[in-house]
Amino acid sequence: MSEAKDVAVRREAMVERKSSIEAMTPFVDIFENDDEILLFADMPGVDKKDVAINIDNGKLTLSGLRETGEDGVLSWEEFGDVEYQRTFSVPQTIDVDKVNAELRDGVLRLHLPKSAAAKPRQIHIKGD
Amino acid sequence: MWREWSELDRMFRAMDLLNARVNRLYQGSEGYRISGAPSGLTQMGPRTNLRDAGDHLRITAELPGVSREDLQIRLQGNYLEISGNRKAENPEGYTRHRQERVVTSFSRSFTLPADIDSTKVEAKLKDGILTLTLPKVEAAKPRQITIN
């Protein structure tokens, strides 16, 4: 998939932090209109306080931590503690101050408004 | 002879297609999964965990973006079925650049290790995780045996 090239997930090997938590790439939908870029990311089970969104130098990094912490004898397990992680390249024209996000039903909705200069503008042709 | 070749060709194409699909399903998931359940929600249903807490069982399922109204849970004896659908979220007036989140209806059924008292089942949907607390029927609850 050639599409996947512009999306890079970083996995730095950190000696100090040896976590056993699995890193996972969340599924995303990306939409755009004249005013903003809208991103949906599936992060089931992630609490609002465990989500970090970082925009720096044209890189948008999403991460969300899920710790299930359940008791009882395990009969089967198909999902567990996970760290959702994904990095995107975003255009410099994003107005970082106005970025807002909401988390509902395990889906992160991220609004990335474009700065006024980046919006398409209708050019009026002056008559005489 | 040309016929066999085209057949072979078709077979390869089918294999490529399958391969691509499998790759898509397992994209982003690392490590071994117990069942064949892929990451993310597909028509095969959500990924689930089952835990046995003695007098009740607990099933959790990953259902991001599925609302309560779009989810059906059916229980009969020890047979559980979770079905529903995830609707497309297409905001109006937007161009779509990428769509990985699957829009699908799904159904998954389970044979639970014990009979369940269906009148006392509790279901909770929070942050895209469905939690079902399934109390066992009296006869299926563990009992302490005293040694004489």
Side-chain angles (χ1 to χ4, degrees), chain B residues 30-50:
Chain B
E30 289 176 340
Y32 178 70
R33 299 241 158 254
I34 290 166
S35 89
S39 62
L41 189 58
T42 68
Q43 60 182 4
M44 288 146 74
R47 292 193 302 188
T48 60
N49 292 342
L50 176 68

Side-chain angles (χ1 to χ4, degrees), chain A residues 27-38:
Chain A
F27 288 117
V28 297
D29 287 354
I30 299 172
F31 299 91
E32 184 179 3
N33 70 1
D34 290 348
D35 301 320
E36 63 170 9
I37 294 171
L38 181 56

Side-chain angles (χ1 to χ4, degrees), chain A residues 1-38:
Chain A
M1 268 190 271
S2 61
E3 252 194 327
K5 277 177 191 162
D6 55 313
V7 176
V9 178
R10 289 190 218 170
R11 286 197 187 88
E12 280 109 340
M14 280 183 275
V15 185
E16 289 294 324
R17 186 175 145 249
K18 233 185 209 163
S19 83
S20 56
I21 285 187
E22 185 185 1
M24 210 179 249
T25 317
F27 288 117
V28 297
D29 287 354
I30 299 172
F31 299 91
E32 184 179 3
N33 70 1
D34 290 348
D35 301 320
E36 63 170 9
I37 294 171
L38 181 56

Side-chain angles (χ1 to χ4, degrees), chain A:
Chain A
M1 268 190 271
S2 61
E3 252 194 327
K5 277 177 191 162
D6 55 313
V7 176
V9 178
R10 289 190 218 170
R11 286 197 187 88
E12 280 109 340
M14 280 183 275
V15 185
E16 289 294 324
R17 186 175 145 249
K18 233 185 209 163
S19 83
S20 56
I21 285 187
E22 185 185 1
M24 210 179 249
T25 317
F27 288 117
V28 297
D29 287 354
I30 299 172
F31 299 91
E32 184 179 3
N33 70 1
D34 290 348
D35 301 320
E36 63 170 9
I37 294 171
L38 181 56
L39 189 147
F40 293 157
D42 280 349
M43 291 187 176
V46 175
D47 194 86
K48 199 167 69 179
K49 67 175 185 349
D50 296 325
V51 176
I53 301 156
N54 221 316
I55 303 172
D56 183 28
N57 201 18
K59 287 258 178 290
L60 165 70
T61 311
L62 299 181
S63 77
L65 191 67
R66 172 177 73 196
E67 281 168 310
T68 44
E70 292 178 275
D71 54 339
V73 183
L74 193 62
S75 298
W76 73 66
E77 185 171 54
E78 293 166 357
F79 67 92
D81 294 352
V82 74
E83 189 175 358
Y84 288 106
Q85 265 185 3
R86 196 151 177 186
T87 304
F88 303 89
S89 296
V90 289
Q92 298 281 2
T93 51
I94 293 298
D95 194 341
V96 179
D97 295 331
K98 287 185 186 147
V99 169
N100 67 86
E102 55 174 329
L103 187 65
R104 200 172 62 230
D105 297 337
V107 180
L108 180 74
R109 293 167 173 82
L110 186 61
H111 297 267
L112 302 154
K114 297 178 187 173
S115 62
K119 285 180 192 167
R121 202 168 311 171
Q122 185 86 34
I123 311 290
H124 293 284
I125 302 161
K126 283 185 199 139
D128 293 325

Side-chain angles (χ1 to χ4, degrees), chain B residues 29-107:
Chain B
S29 86
E30 289 176 340
Y32 178 70
R33 299 241 158 254
I34 290 166
S35 89
S39 62
L41 189 58
T42 68
Q43 60 182 4
M44 288 146 74
R47 292 193 302 188
T48 60
N49 292 342
L50 176 68
R51 275 162 206 274
D52 189 332
D55 58 352
H56 65 272
L57 301 172
R58 194 167 54 250
I59 279 211
T60 48
E62 276 186 321
L63 292 161
V66 179
S67 66
R68 213 182 313 171
E69 296 78 44
D70 294 329
L71 196 60
Q72 284 96 42
I73 302 154
R74 285 177 32 173
L75 182 72
Q76 188 175 20
N78 67 346
Y79 177 80
L80 172 73
E81 191 182 273
I82 299 173
S83 60
N85 62 79
R86 179 151 90 163
K87 290 177 184 151
E89 253 174 302
N90 287 329
E92 216 154 296
Y94 285 79
T95 326
R96 191 170 68 206
H97 287 300
R98 180 182 281 266
Q99 183 164 35
E100 298 167 355
R101 300 168 63 236
V102 181
V103 174
T104 184
S105 58
F106 56 86
S107 177

